[in-house]
Amino acid sequence: MTKLVWYRNDLRCHFHQGLQHALASGEAVRAVYLDCPQQWHDHGIAPLRQRYVLRALLSLGDNLAALGVPLDVIDCGRFSRVADVLASHADTHDVDEIFCTREYPFNEMARDRAVARVMAQRSVAITAFDDAVLVPPRTLTTGQGGWYSVFTPYRKRWQVWLAENPPPGDGLDASPRKKSGRFPGREYLQARLAETEHLAGHDRQWPADEATVREELARFIDEHLAGYKRDRDFPALDGTSGLSAALSTGVLAAAECYRLAEDEMARRPAAKEGGNTWVGELAWRDFYRQIMANHPRLATGEPYRDETRFIQWSRDEALYQAWCEGRTGYPLVDAAMRQLRQTGWMHNRLRMVTAMFLTKNLFIDWRWGEQWFMQHLVDGDFAANNGGWQWSASTGTDAAPYFRVFNPVRQGERFDPEGDFIRRYVPELAQLEGKAVHQPWKSPMLCPDYPQPVVSLDGVRDKVVSAFQAARDIAQQKDFA
Ligand SMILES: Cc1cc2nc3c(=O)[nH]c(=O)nc-3n(C[C@H](O)[C@H](O)[C@H](O)COP(=O)(O)OP(=O)(O)OC[C@H]3O[C@@H](n4cnc5c(N)ncnc54)[C@H](O)[C@@H]3O)c2cc1C
């Protein structure tokens, strides 16, 4: 009989309980990845991210081959075909047990229920692990027995639970087992990668092989963890880990991040402040995953806060295009939006600034922005993206209060004081020295090609407050109806 490791967003060998259990069985082990390009298309996954996943698989296949585990990659189209394709694969290879890492988005859970049904008919066991998170989504409940919807108390409980239930260690015996392991999926992957060859210029910036990613984690912990709290909000600095693509595709395990950060803090007291702040980001990651798993309606585009369904968002295509293309006339917003298009990534501070600018200053529907991010981010992750957008639009769980509106000029002066980041992405502003870069409309002769602001910043807060109030009034009337 054969043990089958079914890979999804857990594209690694280390800190992978499913693979370790399969290897420990002493039976033959195979691995499989079911490629669903049409599903990616339906989910609006960025081409750069698609390429990242395929590159990660190419490297995973080699690593698995060295362990004597052949990786098959099968074209499946959409999730709706997965159960049948996996069943036939299991029949062909005499599989009696499948190992996988649990996934929590709505369509993924529906796919997995279908697989569970067909495997039950064949008496094939499925063993699933919660390795995609540090604390499984249905573990922590509030004093009233509900799911957490506010981050701070969640974080406190999360920390206590993890101290009592630390994530399992690596446990992979990585010594090669067979003379020459096979990698049957290689040709398929090479052909698929050729489809996005025009994006190959980005490959160096986003390493997708596990060994390099683990080295980057070690370097970040060593060089940047201690200063993380101080540096993380300044986009011109190399102050954050840049590991989000690897974490969201599972090339890197959250467990390894957590364990290394905790070890560093124990070893080096000076790393404590930065380390705790960084571990807090891993808690945000779990928080949004538990929100998504416990409120599946979010996957249908609904806001978390019911009354915000009645907000009359603008549908101004011209303003939306100006935002997408980084032509709003607000330097920090434009630099950030160009960073996204040029690199497939955007700094966290700027994700908040640009999302708030779209939803509060332009008053455009947060779902438009959520989709644009997903179509361009190399780390596009449904839970984190939806959570971040609903936070910024004040429609979500632990959202920014609706009357809080970032001023993009002040954000620039605070977090990019000398304008180094802005000038990197907005060359039209190169002639403006130092702080002058934040208000280019005061020096039009020095930046003739840069647009005028597309909207005024005056009166924004009042407009937002009355729009949210109007939505609440409609919600109340509907309750009475
Ligand atoms: C509007 C908006 C959209 C976002 N979309 C995504 C997305 O699609 N994918 C994504 O991974 N993150 C998203 N984030 C969260 C955050 O911006 C990125 O995780 C972070 O910028 C990645 O950079 P880093 O790896 O250097 O992070 P670091 O600061 O080094 O943090 C370490 C890790 O913690 C996790 N993390 C950090 N901040 C958050 C957060 N606020 N929510 C959830 N997880 C977090 C990520 O996995 C990150 O790699 C979004 C935030 C906002 C405000």
Side-chain angles (χ1 to χ4, degrees), residues 228 240-244 278 281 285 345 348 351 379 381 385:
Y228 181 76
T240 70
S241 70
L243 290 167
S244 47
W278 195 64
E281 302 305 329
R285 184 175 176 274
W345 187 84
N348 180 59
R351 294 188 204 208
D379 64 21
D381 173 280
N385 196 37

Side-chain angles (χ1 to χ4, degrees), residues 132-408:
V133 285
L134 288 162
V135 177
R138 302 223 160 101
T139 307
L140 306 181
T141 49
T142 63
Q144 289 76 45
W147 306 119
Y148 278 96
S149 61
V150 181
F151 178 70
T152 306
Y154 172 82
R155 160 87 206 256
K156 282 193 188 132
R157 281 277 290 119
W158 182 89
Q159 189 91 29
V160 171
W161 192 90
L162 266 178
E164 290 163 3
N165 306 273
D170 186 7
L172 177 74
D173 172 9
S175 51
R177 297 164 185 236
K178 296 231 168 102
K179 291 167 277 152
S180 66
R182 289 188 323 107
F183 177 7
R186 183 196 304 277
E187 261 179 45
Y188 174 90
L189 287 169
Q190 283 167 338
R192 285 277 281 126
L193 271 166
E195 294 167 16
T196 50
E197 199 51 35
H198 61 287
L199 296 172
H202 294 274
D203 291 355
R204 266 193 60 187
Q205 189 179 1
W206 303 115
D209 69 288
E210 192 177 351
T212 308
V213 165
R214 295 182 78 209
E215 275 166 29
E216 291 215 334
L217 170 67
R219 188 185 59 83
F220 169 76
I221 298 278
D222 188 38
E223 294 173 14
H224 296 288
L225 189 71
Y228 181 76
K229 185 163 191 231
R230 182 192 61 218
D231 297 341
R232 68 180 178 137
D233 275 318
F234 295 88
L237 301 180
D238 188 15
T240 70
S241 70
L243 290 167
S244 47
L247 269 163
S248 64
T249 50
V251 173
L252 185 64
E256 183 166 15
C257 296
Y258 176 80
R259 291 178 78 102
L260 278 193
E262 290 290 328
D263 289 352
E264 182 74 358
M265 286 191 275
R267 204 174 58 77
R268 199 154 59 107
K272 258 201 144 60
E273 195 179 57
N276 275 325
T277 309
W278 195 64
V279 167
E281 302 305 329
L282 301 176
W284 271 110
R285 184 175 176 274
D286 277 10
F287 177 69
Y288 283 138
R289 284 179 181 217
Q290 66 93 24
I291 293 285
M292 187 184 50
N294 296 323
H295 304 279
R297 72 192 164 83
L298 296 182
T300 62
E302 291 214 11
Y304 181 84
R305 281 172 200 271
D306 232 11
E307 75 278 10
T308 61
R309 274 196 295 145
F310 302 108
I311 291 176
Q312 303 296 307
W313 299 105
S314 155
R315 306 187 76 78
D316 189 319
E317 294 274 357
L319 283 179
Y320 174 63
Q321 276 312 317
W323 176 83
C324 293
E325 290 166 17
R327 291 186 292 100
T328 68
Y330 287 101
L332 190 66
V333 173
D334 292 345
M337 294 306 293
R338 295 183 197 190
Q339 179 184 39
L340 175 61
R341 283 184 85 173
Q342 285 173 34
T343 69
W345 187 84
M346 192 195 284
H347 188 279
N348 180 59
R349 166 66 40 188
L350 304 180
R351 294 188 204 208
M352 294 191 284
V353 169
T354 53
M356 216 179 255
F357 186 82
L358 185 78
T359 55
K360 302 283 175 66
N361 294 81
L362 305 184
F363 215 68
I364 287 176
D365 196 323
W366 57 272
R367 283 158 285 222
W368 288 22
E370 181 194 20
Q371 192 181 27
W372 180 263
F373 268 31
M374 209 60 189
Q375 287 166 347
H376 291 83
L377 281 171
V378 67
D379 64 21
D381 173 280
F382 181 73
N385 196 37
N386 184 272
W389 272 96
Q390 296 223 41
W391 182 90
S392 309
S394 306
T395 61
T397 44
D398 200 13
Y402 63 90
F403 47 80
R404 185 168 171 214
V405 183
F406 285 170
N407 177 317

